[in-house]
Amino acid sequence: TDVTAPVITCPADVAIDCSDDITSAAQGVATGVDDCGIVTITESDVITPGICLGNYIITRTWVATDDCGNSSTCDQIITVTDATAPIITCPADVTIDCSDDITSATQGVATAAADNCGVTTITESDVITPGACAGSYVITRTWVATDDCGNSSTCDQIITVTDVTPPVIKCPAD
């Protein structure tokens, strides 16, 4: 009779990025040997969520079963993390007149914010540097793209505001 369970060897535990392939073909396959016959290997996953969308742990349980129904199991732990910041593209730098609209709706919004593992939010903030006169100044508009796991990227748009329009004067009648 065959009463001895097969010997199973699990692939090593791994830590991978959330954009990596999580399949057993990429992360390793268990092997099994039996002294009396053929071994069938199966796998099943239990996913434990992390603190954000791109972070989680996969406990991959491998089972080696021989022809007589004897089996052995082992676990592979796959730790998945999001360590990659999103990609952001700033609007082009511009020079405008002091009477122009300085809002991002007019001067451009950061675009192409993409993340390899989740949702990205985009925020903006302005720092104004005074120029030589009241109608001249520089706005450094900083855009920040942040993903669910707190990874972020920034870019700056420079908006140079100038006063190039001469005043209008109306002379009194002669």
Side-chain angles (χ1 to χ4, degrees), residues 26-120:
Q27 300 310 323
V29 177
T31 58
V33 293
D34 188 61
D35 59 351
C36 295
I38 298 172
V39 176
T40 303
I41 305 284
T42 58
E43 67 180 271
S44 62
D45 291 349
V46 174
I47 297 175
T48 305
I51 60 171
C52 59
L53 184 62
N55 290 353
Y56 54 96
I57 295 174
I58 301 169
T59 302
R60 183 162 290 154
T61 300
W62 295 92
V63 179
T65 306
D66 67 17
D67 287 339
C68 291
N70 302 306
S71 64
S72 298
T73 64
C74 65
D75 289 334
Q76 177 191 26
I77 305 299
I78 302 169
T79 304
V80 181
T81 57
D82 180 357
T84 305
I87 297 168
I88 186 170
T89 302
C90 260
D93 295 345
V94 293
T95 300
I96 60 174
D97 186 69
C98 60
S99 62
D100 291 339
D101 183 0
I102 62 169
T103 66
S104 57
T106 302
Q107 299 309 323
V109 176
T111 58
D115 188 55
N116 62 335
C117 301
V119 178
T120 302

